Structures are given as C-alpha cells and as structure tokens.
Amino acid sequence: DKNAALGLMETGGLVLAMVVQPASGAFSDHLRTRFGRRRPMIAVGAVGAIAALLLMAGAQAFAAVVAVYCLLQFSMNVAQGGYQGLLPDTVPGAQRGRASGWLGVATLSGQVAGAVAAGPLAPRVMCLVIAGMVAATAAATVFGITEQPLHAAVERMPGSAGSRLRGYFAELLVQRDFCWVVASRFLMFTSLAAVQRFAAYYISDTFHGNDVLFGINLGSPQTATSAMLAVVVLFGMAVTYPAVRLSDQVGRRSVLTGAALVGCAGCALFVIAGSVTEVVLFALPVAVAFGMIVSVDWAFMAELAPAARAGKFLGFSNIATAGAQAAAPAVLGPVIDAVNARTGSVGGAAGSAGYRVMFVFGAVCFLLGALVLRRVRTNRPAAAPQFALT
C-alpha cells in the first residue's frame, strides 16, 4: 500500500502548508525585532526543520514518519512564510523582475540537484544531507541579508475579534488583481501537478514496456518518466530568466497569458502522443510554460502585494500552489481509474483513455488560467488600509 501511504502523508503535509505559510507570512508582517521581521521566522523554521529531518532519519514506524513529516512541513512553511517577504522588502521595485528571474532559476536548479543527489543515496542518509543543506542555506540567508528594522505602527481595526478577522481577510478582496493572479496560478499549477503526478502511470499503462526514446530502449517506464520530467525542468530552467526579462518589456500579464496558451497546446498534444519519443517532444511546450509561469507569476504577485503586507499576501499565494498539488490527484485519480476500467481490453487489462481525459482537463485548466488573467488590470490599485489581528 505504498501509494496510498504516500498519498496520506502528502495530503497531511499539503494541508499544513496551505494553512501555516499564510499565517507565518502575516505574523512576520507585524514582527518588530532588531534583526528584522523575516529572518527570525526563517531561523526558527529552519531549526525545526533540521530537528524533523534528524528524527525522520531515525524513524522506525510509518506513524512516526507521518508525524515527523508533518513537523517538517510545519517548520519549513514557518520559514518560507518569512522568506517570501524578503524579496519585496529588500529588492528595489525596478530590480524585482530580474530578482524574480534568478529566484525561478534557483528554484528549478534546486529541484534538479535534489533529484540527482537523492538517486544514489539511501533514504536515511538523504535526510541528513537535506538537513545539512537547510542549515547551510538558512545560515547564508539569515547572516548574509540585512533587513532594515521597522518601527512604524500598524493600523488597528476597531471592533471585536470577529470583525478584525473579517477585516483581515477582506484586505485580500480589496486587492482584486492579486487575487485574480493567484486564481490563475491555481489553475495552471493544477495542470502541471497532474502531468507530474501521473506521468509514470501514464507511460506504463499506455506504452506497455515499449520505452524507446529516439531509438534507445530506456528499459523501464520509470526511466522514461525521468527523461520526460528532466526535459520539463531543464528547459523550464532555460526559459525562466529570459521570460521574466521579457515581461519587464511587454508586461507580466501578456507573458503569463502566452505561457498559459503554450501549456494548453502542450497538454493537447499529449492526447495524440503515440510513442515515448513523442511524449518527450510534446513535453517541450509544457516545459516552456512551466519556466515562464514559475518566474513571471512570482514577479507579478510581488509587485501587486502591498509592501507592508508582503508576507501575508505572498504566503496566501501558497494556497494556490499547495492546493493545486492536492487537488490534482484527489480529483483526477478516481476519474482516470474509472475511465481506464471502462476502456480496457476484453481480457480484463485496464485501458489508458483516462489519461487522455487528464490531458484534456489540463489543457482546459491552462485555458481558464489565461482567461482569468484577462480580469487583471494593467494598472496597480492604490494601497488598501492595513489592519492587524492584534
């Protein structure tokens, strides 16, 4: 039951990510220390994450692994809630596009490095390696970045705790452009998460061991899947920085809309793929869309988020990211299985038409993401009143 077990563990972690990161970001907005408001959150979260990884390396039961994984997600999202606010806090507005491009490159590079390093190492050893990486990068961030201490008072909303809470969330609705960008992010990331999550099963059930790429037999569906995902990440990384620099010239919304349409075309091509080679080639437009979205979408949200509330708003965007990763398998998994069962062979083997439904769903999500972006105004709205919970 390893797949069900993995799904159970990931679901718990994603729920925590959706709740903790926005709360952590909002808390850091109000934090006033001589070390700044973001770096203390990063330090506390990193220490908790390192402790969780060390515990995971020694865990002897599945229940312990789940509990420690939830602690890891909680701690990492405490750290990231503060981390997300560093870019708008410390980078001048004219340089945020360039900084967001490098952030996208770093994000995708980390995914590649993690996948490569994890391959030859034992899982428990890998936990220790990750702990060391968290310690090193957190230390570099905490000691290498200078924050200007903030002493300005935050406007308090009068009334009961309930009214303050309603005002707190109403602040998001005032910034409608930001909310529309987050909505488009959810739609596009749902499509990307579906392709990533079900790629191995799609290749295995569709090509039945004919795992040949450009005349080379890769030997297994897992290897073929790794080749496809490597194309997505590497080509995505290649376009990340150029895409955000292009958006500096023509606008964020235009580039994101183009990325959504390219991703839609890529998902549509997957429907007619007849070989592993075609799958890898058709992954190229999805890779281009992925790289453009990762960087330009972040730059767009960083510009639209109110400066004094960057932690809260950018933390809120993680609801779209983590929510998409949870929604894709939860919604599509049963649908794929049901359609595959109904389109199987006479001998009882399951079919693969469910994956075509998945790709059509992905294309529709990309298209809806492009349509949602049309709701975003080109001009940035005036800053909204800022209220605190306490």
Side-chain angles (χ1 to χ4, degrees):
D1 299 324
K2 60 181 180 293
N3 291 300
L6 179 63
L8 172 65
M9 185 175 74
E10 286 189 343
T11 299
L14 288 171
V15 169
L16 279 171
M18 292 171 64
V19 173
V20 173
Q21 192 174 132
S24 172
F27 183 80
S28 71
D29 288 337
H30 302 287
L31 194 61
R32 299 292 183 266
T33 75
R34 64 189 183 94
F35 302 106
R37 56 179 181 167
R38 312 298 186 190
R39 291 182 300 164
M41 304 295 294
I42 296 171
V44 170
V47 170
I50 293 167
L53 287 161
L54 296 178
L55 290 171
M56 184 175 287
Q60 299 297 322
F62 175 66
V65 172
V66 173
V68 173
Y69 180 75
C70 288
L71 174 61
L72 175 64
Q73 282 281 13
F74 178 88
S75 300
M76 288 299 290
N77 280 280
V78 166
Q80 192 156 338
Y83 174 79
Q84 304 240 65
L86 274 179
L87 189 150
D89 280 3
T90 60
V91 178
Q95 299 178 17
R96 286 181 187 169
R98 181 178 300 178
S100 297
W102 285 116
L103 177 62
V105 171
T107 300
L108 296 179
S109 299
Q111 292 182 359
V112 173
V116 171
L121 295 177
R124 296 183 190 278
V125 174
M126 194 63 217
C127 290
L128 302 179
V129 173
I130 298 172
M133 182 59 67
V134 171
T137 52
T141 304
V142 170
F143 297 110
I145 294 178
T146 301
E147 290 187 81
Q148 296 298 324
L150 298 180
H151 303 290
V154 181
E155 181 182 347
R156 184 190 299 269
M157 184 177 182
S160 65
S163 64
R164 292 199 300 269
L165 187 63
R166 287 191 296 271
Y168 182 77
F169 287 103
E171 190 178 29
L172 289 167
L173 298 178
V174 172
Q175 304 290 345
R176 293 189 178 182
D177 285 349
F178 181 88
C179 291
W180 284 121
V181 174
V182 171
S184 72
R185 180 184 183 89
F186 172 79
L187 289 165
M188 293 187 285
F189 269 70
T190 297
S191 182
L192 291 168
V195 173
Q196 181 181 16
R197 179 61 61 89
F198 297 108
Y201 292 152
Y202 158 66
I203 291 175
S204 176
D205 294 345
T206 303
F207 303 109
H208 305 290
N210 187 24
D211 305 310
V212 178
L213 177 62
F214 298 115
I216 302 172
N217 190 349
L218 299 179
S220 71
Q222 290 75 19
T223 304
T225 303
S226 296
M228 188 194 81
L229 295 180
V231 166
V232 171
V233 173
L234 292 174
F235 276 82
M237 188 165 56
V239 303
T240 294
Y241 187 76
V244 79
R245 297 298 290 157
L246 175 64
S247 72
D248 288 339
Q249 304 299 321
V250 303
R252 314 288 191 214
R253 188 180 68 176
S254 298
V255 173
L256 278 177
T257 301
L261 295 177
V262 170
C264 177
C267 284
L269 287 173
F270 278 136
V271 175
I272 62 172
S275 66
V276 171
T277 298
E278 291 182 357
V279 169
V280 173
L281 290 175
F282 294 162
L284 290 175
V286 176
V288 170
F290 181 43
M292 295 169 73
I293 293 166
V294 166
S295 57
V296 179
D297 184 67
W298 179 259
F300 206 6
M301 291 190 299
E303 289 173 348
L304 291 173
R309 288 288 192 273
K312 169 191 169 179
F313 275 74
L314 295 176
F316 175 78
S317 71
N318 190 55
I319 293 179
T321 308
Q325 293 174 0
V331 173
L332 287 173
V335 173
I336 292 171
D337 288 343
V339 175
N340 283 350
R342 290 179 176 274
T343 58
S345 63
V346 177
S352 60
Y355 300 107
R356 296 189 182 91
V357 173
M358 177 190 75
F359 291 129
V360 171
F361 175 84
V364 171
C365 283
F366 270 122
L367 184 59
L368 290 175
L371 293 175
V372 166
L373 284 169
R374 291 177 59 86
R375 305 284 298 181
V376 181
R377 295 167 294 181
T378 55
N379 61 309
R380 179 176 175 176
Q386 298 172 1
F387 304 117
L389 276 173
T390 58

